[in-house]
Structures are given as C-alpha cells and as structure tokens.
Amino acid sequence: QVQLQESGPGLVKPSRTLSLTCTVSRAFLTANDYYWGWIRQPPGKGLEWIGYIAYTGTTHYSPSLKSRTSISWDTSRSHFTLQLSSVTPEDTALYYCAAARRPFTDPGQYTYWGQGTQVTVSP
C-alpha cells in the first residue's frame, strides 16, 4: 500500500511562496505507473485539485492555479514538492498529497492520501 506524508510550514505570509513536501513510501519510489498529486480543501469548501507529477516528471496543473504552481521531484525521487507562489489568505486550506494510477484531475479518483497538513496564510 502506498503511504504518503506531507510536511511544511503551517503559516505563510501573504505574497510569499508556500512550499510543501510529500514523502513517498520506499516500496513505491520507483513505481512508474502512478501519478502523484496535490489537493487542497479550504475551510468550509470542497476538495480542489491543484496538479500532479508523473514518475517521468511530466506535470499537469489546474488552469486556475497554473500560473502560480510548480510540482517537482527531488533528485532521489523520494519526495515531491509543491510550490505555490504569491499566496493570499484565499490559499488557506488543508493540503493533501495523493496518488492515483491514472492522470486524474478529480480528487475523488485518487486512491492513496496523506493525512493532510494545514496551511494558513496570514500576516
């Protein structure tokens, strides 16, 4: 079973860049048939897909966030990171990393999830 764990700062100041890391369980580090995604849930709202990265490094982002989003692997491919630039209080949310066997943009199609990490954007 795929295990994922998010990490990163819980508080980010407006206009700064939010950076989160997702650690993938060792058994799946070389799995080349998964898509590794980031999903968030703002307070009182539904799940919002942010983007994914494939094992090959190919990425795909939500059109509404594309100009501010970057997802990448670290050199060892044991972690993948989310960077969201120019954040505002509207980016406050519970952020999840997740995995799916297909390149889904629907959060409901992701099979494996981390426990989530709260990020608050505030001065």
Side-chain angles (χ1 to χ4, degrees):
Q1 182 173 347
V2 180
Q3 293 182 325
L4 306 104
Q5 178 67 59
E6 306 89 350
S7 60
L11 181 65
V12 183
K13 294 184 182 300
S15 81
R16 301 289 181 88
T17 295
L18 178 162
S19 184
L20 297 175
T21 296
C22 182
T23 301
V24 180
S25 52
R26 292 184 61 84
F28 291 88
L29 288 177
T30 58
N32 60 8
D33 56 349
Y34 280 90
Y35 293 82
W36 308 91
W38 285 98
I39 294 160
R40 69 182 184 180
Q41 185 169 28
K45 297 184 179 180
L47 294 169
E48 178 183 20
W49 174 77
I50 300 170
Y52 65 66
I53 186 167
Y55 179 79
T56 58
T58 299
T59 55
H60 184 49
Y61 303 125
S62 167
S64 65
L65 297 170
K66 183 177 181 179
S67 64
R68 301 193 290 127
T69 305
S70 177
I71 300 175
S72 61
W73 286 105
D74 75 318
T75 54
S76 67
R77 291 190 183 269
S78 61
H79 307 83
F80 62 101
T81 64
L82 167 69
Q83 291 192 309
L84 184 66
S85 63
S86 304
V87 297
T88 72
E90 291 185 348
D91 294 307
T92 294
L94 187 60
Y95 284 76
Y96 298 94
C97 59
R101 300 295 290 267
R102 295 283 186 91
F104 294 122
T105 61
D106 176 2
Q109 298 294 328
Y110 280 73
T111 305
Y112 303 105
W113 292 71
Q115 64 182 18
T117 186
Q118 177 66 39
V119 176
T120 300
V121 180
S122 180

